[in-house]
Amino acid sequence: MPEGDTVFRTARRLDDALAGQEVTRFDLRVPKAATADLTGEMIHGCVPRGKHLLLRVGEYTLHSHLRMDGAWFVYRPGERWRHPAFKVRAIVGTAEREAVGVDIADIELVRTSDEDEVVGHLGPDPLGKDWDAAEAAARVSRDARSIHVALLDQRNVAGFGNEYAAELLFLRGILPTTPAAEVDTAALITLGARTIRANRDRPDRTFTGVNRPGRTTWVYGRADRPCRRCGTLIRRGAQGADPTRERVTFWCPNCQR
């Protein structure tokens, strides 16, 4: 699942492949930007912002959000793609590399000076250079909803998704339905930042410290299986008042109270 650590690694891979080179191919296969052409412009680099990618080209920024299924791949020019062409939403090529965006739900082109229009609403990013843990904790504390929903709101803190929320709450022994105002958010946010930074450079994220398949999480994706700590069966449920935005979470009813 593309969460903040996945997006960070994607941005680094795109930056390594494209930064400092001239665009030789620019193709956006989305209605609003289909006619855009930045061929000949210089690629300044790619940076992550929470779950958002900002690829800066000339005076513009190609903004993309991977959602659940999106991904960027890097190829050498002429190399055969490993996915069908109809899934491709964006191609940014240079003489040396070709970045191909596949199944990307959100992609748009904005002036770099207007980046705040697409990411200015985001809260502090634990993988960002301007990370502000106190501000993130304060935003989560002020949220009137459950702690699980508050952690997922990117306006509070940018980068955490369902997996991080479920695992962090387990590690802190907090029931997902607990009101955010009743939680030690400073300790929770500190743990979250430490965890996502530890996973930032790993090809496969882990919360248990074990990298073997099926052993990387404490509760996430483990409904009706025994808790690794106490043996109680893990439960699964949805959080969120709006049914269209419900978020599935997992918890141990014994370890999280």
Side-chain angles (χ1 to χ4, degrees):
M1 181 181 298
E3 301 200 24
D5 49 5
T6 303
V7 174
F8 182 93
R9 289 192 299 275
T10 300
R12 183 167 54 190
R13 187 169 69 253
L14 292 176
D15 190 78
D16 289 345
L18 302 174
Q21 300 178 55
E22 182 180 304
V23 176
T24 58
R25 183 180 183 185
F26 193 83
D27 183 4
L28 300 184
R29 300 176 180 180
V30 292
K32 289 197 300 184
T35 60
D37 185 7
L38 297 183
T39 301
E41 297 288 351
M42 184 66 66
I43 300 174
H44 303 300
C46 185
V47 298
R49 185 75 173 85
K51 297 184 180 183
H52 300 251
L53 282 164
L54 303 171
L55 179 61
R56 293 163 178 160
V57 184
E59 297 181 356
Y60 290 86
T61 293
L62 181 60
H63 164 245
S64 60
H65 193 299
L66 303 182
R67 297 296 177 187
M68 289 293 293
D69 302 314
W72 281 92
F73 298 88
V74 176
Y75 298 100
R76 293 186 180 280
E79 184 180 354
R80 185 175 181 178
W81 296 347
R82 298 187 298 273
H83 40 264
F86 71 85
K87 290 180 173 287
V88 173
R89 297 293 176 268
I91 305 168
V92 181
T94 70
E96 299 180 9
R97 293 290 188 273
E98 195 168 66
V100 181
V102 178
D103 281 335
I104 299 177
D106 297 338
I107 191 163
E108 60 185 320
L109 194 64
V110 299
R111 287 191 173 276
T112 300
S113 58
D114 296 330
E115 279 183 357
D116 273 357
E117 293 181 4
V118 290
V119 295
H121 66 286
L122 297 175
D125 179 355
L127 297 180
K129 295 180 180 179
D130 57 349
W131 167 239
D132 187 336
E135 175 62 20
R139 292 190 184 201
V140 174
S141 290
R142 290 194 296 265
D143 200 305
R145 299 167 294 178
S146 73
I147 186 59
H148 179 83
V149 175
L151 269 183
L152 291 180
D153 193 327
Q154 302 299 295
R155 295 169 297 182
N156 292 333
V157 56
F160 296 143
N162 269 354
E163 187 171 357
Y164 268 95
E167 293 294 299
L168 294 176
L169 293 176
F170 173 81
L171 290 170
R172 289 291 300 166
I174 301 168
L175 197 65
T177 52
T178 305
E182 298 178 10
V183 172
D184 182 350
T185 55
L188 180 62
I189 291 299
T190 295
L191 174 64
R194 189 167 71 245
T195 304
I196 199 169
R197 287 173 182 172
N199 280 322
R200 177 184 59 191
D201 300 320
R202 292 172 174 151
D204 300 299
R205 79 170 63 101
T206 179
F207 297 91
T208 62
V210 179
N211 291 320
R212 295 196 303 273
R215 301 288 297 178
T216 59
T217 63
W218 293 100
V219 292
Y220 186 81
R222 302 191 67 248
D224 300 322
R225 299 178 65 183
C227 174
R228 300 191 195 279
R229 284 183 176 170
C230 72
T232 303
L233 294 184
I234 301 300
R235 293 184 183 176
R236 177 183 187 274
Q239 292 285 305
D242 183 350
T244 66
R245 296 179 61 83
E246 281 186 341
R247 299 293 185 262
V248 174
T249 190
F250 303 81
W251 72 95
C252 172
N254 182 57
C255 295
Q256 296 169 256
R257 296 177 178 271

